[in-house]
Amino acid sequence: MEKIKMKTPLVEMDGDEMTRVLWREIKSILLEPFIELNTKYYDLGLLNRDITNDEVTKEAALAIKKYGVGVKCATITPNKDRVKEYNLKEMYKSPNGTIRAILDGTVFRAPIITKVVEAYIKTWKKPITIARHAYGDIYKDVEMKVSKGKCELLFTDENGNEERKLIHNFDGDGVVLGMHNLNNSIESFARSSFNYALDTKQDLWFSSKDTISKLYDHTFKDIFNDIFEKEYKEKFEKENIEYFYTLIDDAVARVIKSEGGMIWACKNYDGDVMSDMIATAFGSLAMMTSVLVSPDGNFEYEAAHGTVQRHYYKHLKGEETSTNSVATIFAWTGALRKRGELDSNKELINFSNSLEDAVIETIEKGFMTKDLALISNFENIKVRNSFEFLEDVKNTLLDKIL
């Protein structure tokens, strides 16, 4: 068959460890035989980030702003042990955090569902997508251990005027934290969430705790409501989808009793926790997609999991691994499909859909990696190693498209 051509480049960001190994194999086995890949390549592997003083991460993010769509391999965010292991110049920041900040994006995470792995919540029939506001709150907090004394919140405006509020009079040892957010970041979060709901034609929920946090959380609620009423209400009605706000404890109860199929927008910490809960309840973090969406229409796709360090060390020793590559494959298909949509390239869209179907069909025929085999009730399981699974998917794909 003639290879599919791409009109506009895709920003390709390579990564680390076992996911880097699989990245190369996915391209070689599942993509390059069928597509004339047109990518702008950036090596976000930890060693190259160190060589470039992490400038390569910023360059990749700016390239996404230029070309509109990127696909990213999992990367290491170094701790002290990694700094020593890789002999790094410094402890570099999370590449994902850098890219999110430059794109001003919101992270959307959704499970990949197959019949061979049942959700732990029996009512869940459709994916539940978590939209996480990836700025502020405790992730940019300031913390302090205190003893007996008075703690105040002080704000000094640009004219030097001060406003103070008592936090607590401490009779003994304690701890305090201060956190913040920005209205323009919350607005970007809201618009990205509304746009993604329209793009995927799903209901959108937003939850916080405005009854307790009458200024901080209430600001989120008010911004979402104002933007919806002014910019999105008619669009939602036209698509027959719904937006509503509820308290986060009520949202949890509603989600558990639902059949799924909605986008649940959460503040930063809530989204961090709930996305892992959703992933586990649907079966596996290795079956979780992640897409960063900016309010001005840029998209970055990746797997929700990390670099699979333990399997990488086994791979280096020449030992067999059975690493689940599904979310990484879906990062590629998501990016290629979006590239196709933006370029009106139906062939690329159809191929992306066919490859995703081939992955699911392969698993539902019983060919799967060890992590899925351990949680599946399927009777005729054939456990495949990291590379055999990719070949199995290719065979299923060829049956579909030839």
Side-chain angles (χ1 to χ4, degrees):
M1 58 177 290
E2 186 178 349
K3 289 188 180 183
I4 299 167
K5 293 179 174 58
M6 295 175 60
K7 300 175 184 177
T8 311
L10 189 69
V11 179
E12 176 188 352
M13 293 160 281
D14 212 340
D16 290 298
E17 298 188 318
M18 197 64 199
T19 47
R20 185 183 181 96
V21 174
L22 290 173
W23 192 262
R24 181 178 62 247
E25 296 300 317
I26 289 168
K27 289 175 62 179
S28 174
I29 296 171
L30 297 178
L31 302 179
E32 290 173 340
F34 309 99
I35 305 171
E36 287 187 7
L37 280 180
N38 181 6
T39 71
K40 297 293 182 180
Y41 178 85
Y42 294 85
D43 185 358
L44 268 55
L46 189 51
L47 289 175
N48 194 50
R49 279 184 274 147
D50 190 51
I51 291 170
T52 64
N53 299 315
D54 208 27
E55 286 300 313
V56 66
T57 305
K58 299 173 186 176
E59 292 170 3
L62 292 173
I64 295 172
K65 293 189 77 170
K66 178 178 180 179
Y67 294 105
V69 185
V71 58
K72 180 179 172 295
C73 182
T75 48
I76 296 170
T77 299
N79 55 19
K80 290 181 180 179
D81 292 336
R82 296 296 203 159
V83 171
K84 183 178 179 181
E85 177 185 355
Y86 284 85
N87 192 28
L88 302 177
K89 300 171 191 171
E90 62 179 273
M91 193 182 302
Y92 297 102
K93 295 180 180 179
S94 161
N96 290 343
T98 299
I99 294 169
R100 282 197 298 263
I102 291 174
L103 296 183
D104 193 20
T106 296
V107 179
F108 296 85
R109 289 187 168 183
I112 302 162
I113 296 178
T114 72
K115 295 177 182 177
V116 301
V117 178
E118 292 185 4
Y120 288 98
I121 309 299
K122 300 305 179 184
T123 56
W124 288 357
K125 307 300 180 186
K126 303 174 183 177
I128 297 169
T129 301
I130 298 293
R132 175 186 170 190
H133 182 217
Y135 179 83
D137 297 348
I138 67 170
Y139 300 86
K140 284 189 174 290
D141 73 357
V142 178
E143 303 176 346
M144 185 185 300
K145 287 187 175 182
V146 298
S147 56
K148 187 174 182 179
K150 179 172 68 173
C151 182
E152 294 182 315
L153 187 65
L154 168 65
F155 174 74
T156 306
D157 69 19
E158 60 185 356
N159 297 317
N161 300 312
E162 294 184 352
E163 182 180 355
R164 294 175 180 266
K165 286 195 175 182
L166 175 68
I167 295 173
H168 190 67
N169 281 311
F170 286 87
D171 294 327
D173 293 346
V175 62
V176 296
L177 70 82
M179 62 186 195
H180 78 280
N181 228 294
L182 305 173
N183 278 19
N184 59 7
S185 180
I186 302 169
E187 289 165 4
S188 294
F189 173 40
R191 289 191 175 94
S192 293
S193 298
F194 290 130
N195 288 335
Y196 197 73
L198 288 168
D199 192 36
T200 59
K201 295 179 174 53
Q202 296 180 87
D203 291 344
L204 174 67
W205 301 6
F206 175 58
S207 61
S208 68
K209 196 70 173 177
D210 66 286
T211 52
I212 301 300
S213 177
K214 298 182 185 299
L215 291 178
Y216 194 99
D217 279 26
H218 216 298
T219 297
F220 277 81
K221 177 184 177 181
D222 291 342
I223 287 175
F224 262 76
N225 185 68
D226 290 346
I227 290 177
F228 177 72
E229 290 293 331
K230 294 176 182 176
E231 302 177 27
Y232 291 95
K233 186 174 182 178
E234 291 183 4
K235 296 177 183 177
F236 270 54
E237 290 173 351
K238 184 178 179 180
E239 295 295 341
N240 196 30
I241 57 176
E242 180 184 8
Y243 164 70
F244 78 94
Y245 171 85
T246 188
L247 296 173
I248 188 158
D249 40 355
D250 179 56
V252 170
R254 286 173 179 261
V255 164
I256 294 297
K257 293 187 291 184
S258 77
E259 66 172 9
M262 79 291 289
I263 300 167
W264 181 9
C266 297
K267 290 168 55 195
N268 207 348
Y269 179 79
D270 298 338
D272 191 359
V273 174
M274 293 305 170
S275 62
D276 280 359
M277 183 271 287
I278 294 292
T280 303
F282 271 105
S284 172
L285 187 60
M287 301 284 284
M288 194 80 167
T289 64
S290 180
V291 54
L292 180 71
V293 181
S294 71
D296 52 351
N298 298 309
F299 300 82
E300 182 236 24
Y301 294 80
E302 63 178 327
H305 58 72
T307 57
V308 202
Q309 178 185 10
R310 183 173 59 86
H311 285 200
Y312 180 61
Y313 291 155
K314 290 181 64 177
H315 174 74
L316 290 179
K317 294 176 183 177
E319 299 176 12
E320 185 178 72
T321 62
S322 184
T323 312
N324 190 328
S325 55
V326 171
T328 305
I329 297 171
F330 272 58
W332 272 104
T333 56
L336 289 168
R337 180 168 47 246
K338 179 55 67 175
R339 179 78 281 157
E341 290 172 358
L342 295 177
D343 291 348
S344 299
N345 188 338
K346 291 184 178 179
E347 286 185 304
L348 196 57
I349 296 170
N350 292 338
F351 173 82
S352 302
N353 293 335
S354 295
L355 180 51
E356 288 186 358
D357 291 343
V359 171
I360 300 302
E361 287 180 24
T362 299
I363 295 171
E364 292 181 348
K365 287 188 293 186
F367 298 90
M368 64 189 77
T369 47
K370 188 175 181 180
D371 62 310
L372 293 184
L374 291 173
I375 59 175
S376 175
N377 294 321
F378 196 71
E379 293 182 357
N380 299 312
I381 292 176
K382 304 171 187 66
V383 177
R384 312 298 277 169
N385 68 34
S386 305
F387 310 108
E388 289 171 341
F389 178 73
L390 296 176
E391 293 290 350
D392 294 333
V393 172
K394 181 177 181 179
N395 291 334
T396 304
L397 178 64
L398 286 170
D399 289 341
K400 293 179 69 66
I401 64 178
L402 291 183

